[in-house]
Structures are given as structure tokens and as C-alpha cells.
Amino acid sequence: MSVTVAQRRRRTTAQALAQRSRIVLECAEGHSIMEVSRRLRIAPDTVRTWRRRFIERGLDGLCDDPRPGVPRKITDADVERPSSGRLPRSDRADRPA
């Protein structure tokens, strides 16, 4: 099975929450936004976003906000579950060979 670059770079929910927590902890230790961004190798705007959300909402601010548009059909648990990389039999029957 081939894994694309986007799949390798996609963060799981747990990884995203861990990074957001590291951002908040670094800021709580008194490090500047620029220093945290350098230490964690992320954009300063990312640090600003999660720091602000934590200040405004506490721990709940570190969770993802609902996205606009059609509600998700795939849950976070589905995303984190290992996949065999194959489509169910009924879906594959409809595709041309």
C-alpha cells in the first residue's frame, strides 16, 4: 500500500492535542511566542492561536471547533483506527476495472 505525503503529515487528534498542550505549557513557563515557535518548529501564528484559545476557554479551547459545512460522516475514532487500505467489497464493485 502506498502512503501519500499528505497522509504521512496528517496529525491524529491525539497528536494535535499533545502539540497544543506543549504550546500552552511552554507559554506558561514564560517563553515568548517567537521562542515557543522556534522550539516547537511551528508558525508563530499557531502559537498565538492556541495560547489565545487556552486563555479564553481553558482546556476546552484546545479541542477542535466544529467545521462549517456538512456535518462529518467520519468520527475522530474512525480516523485514528488502523485501516487495511482497502475499500469494502460493495464499493469496489461499482468502480471500473
Side-chain angles (χ1 to χ4, degrees):
M1 178 172 101
S2 173
V3 178
T4 67
V5 173
Q7 289 170 325
R8 278 185 279 155
R9 291 186 181 179
R10 181 179 61 205
R11 292 195 179 278
T12 64
T13 302
Q15 288 173 328
L17 185 57
Q19 183 180 52
R20 295 166 191 171
S21 299
R22 281 192 294 276
I23 291 168
V24 169
L25 289 172
E26 293 268 339
C27 290
E29 290 175 356
H31 300 291
S32 71
I33 289 172
M34 293 307 291
E35 190 175 350
V36 173
S37 70
R38 277 192 301 272
R39 290 169 66 122
L40 299 179
R41 296 182 176 164
I42 55 177
D45 282 344
T46 301
V47 176
R48 283 185 197 93
T49 296
W50 295 112
R51 181 180 178 275
R52 178 182 40 79
R53 283 185 51 177
F54 180 75
I55 289 169
E56 291 171 355
R57 305 181 204 172
L59 289 175
D60 289 339
L62 301 183
C63 297
D64 286 326
D65 282 340
R67 305 249 179 210
V70 178
R72 290 178 54 181
K73 293 179 183 174
I74 300 173
T75 65
D76 289 339
D78 292 335
V79 170
E80 295 201 17
R81 187 177 310 122
S83 171
S84 65
R86 297 182 57 134
L87 293 173
R89 195 76 175 140
S90 61
D91 290 344
R92 286 188 287 143
D94 297 336
R95 293 190 329 198

